[in-house]
Amino acid sequence: MRKAVAKVEAVPPGEMLPVDIEGLPPIVIFNLDGELFATSNICTHAVARLSDGFFEEGVIECPLHSGCFDVRTGEATEFPCEIPLKTYNVEVDGDDILVEFDEA
Ligand code: FES
């Protein structure tokens, strides 16, 4: 299911935007040098919202224990995170950001 989740202007380069839509998993949109990526907003190590952490150079650092993930691939890059983060396909249609969610 593809869904419009935000406007492109809401996520400037270098920024991230948490998106919480009822009935869908919480995600974060990242703007990495003009390219958009989306991942789950919940750390795979414990329960923490990654959008409360730090986004720098394509990496999101969890606010709870400082584990890290590559936002492009979801790969866990820093201990204690080992399980990859779920990623979502992102498209831009005009000024809308569209994210592909799994069918419920
Ligand atoms: Fe994210 Fe522990 S909850 S690193």
Side-chain angles (χ1 to χ4, degrees):
M1 175 208 337
R2 215 160 48 141
K3 195 158 182 65
V5 298
K7 298 292 184 192
V8 173
E9 65 190 20
V11 200
E15 300 288 324
M16 60 180 162
L17 178 74
V19 175
D20 294 288
I21 297 175
E22 198 177 332
L24 293 172
I27 63 169
V28 198
I29 309 292
F30 299 94
N31 186 329
L32 178 58
D33 300 329
E35 203 175 345
L36 297 175
F37 298 91
T39 73
S40 165
N41 196 10
I42 307 299
C43 186
T44 59
H45 176 240
V47 179
R49 279 173 68 86
L50 294 172
S51 56
D52 292 333
F54 307 95
F55 174 46
E56 201 170 41
E57 295 180 357
V59 168
I60 180 72
E61 181 182 322
C62 179
L64 200 50
H65 311 110
S66 303
C68 292
F69 301 90
D70 187 321
V71 305
R72 290 160 286 213
T73 62
E75 181 191 359
T77 59
E78 189 70 42
F79 185 82
C81 298
E82 294 178 334
I83 302 168
L85 208 52
K86 181 169 176 53
T87 59
Y88 296 85
N89 286 333
V90 181
E91 282 178 34
V92 173
D93 181 16
D95 58 355
D96 286 323
I97 300 173
L98 306 178
V99 172
E100 184 78 37
F101 291 93
D102 300 335
E103 295 299 333

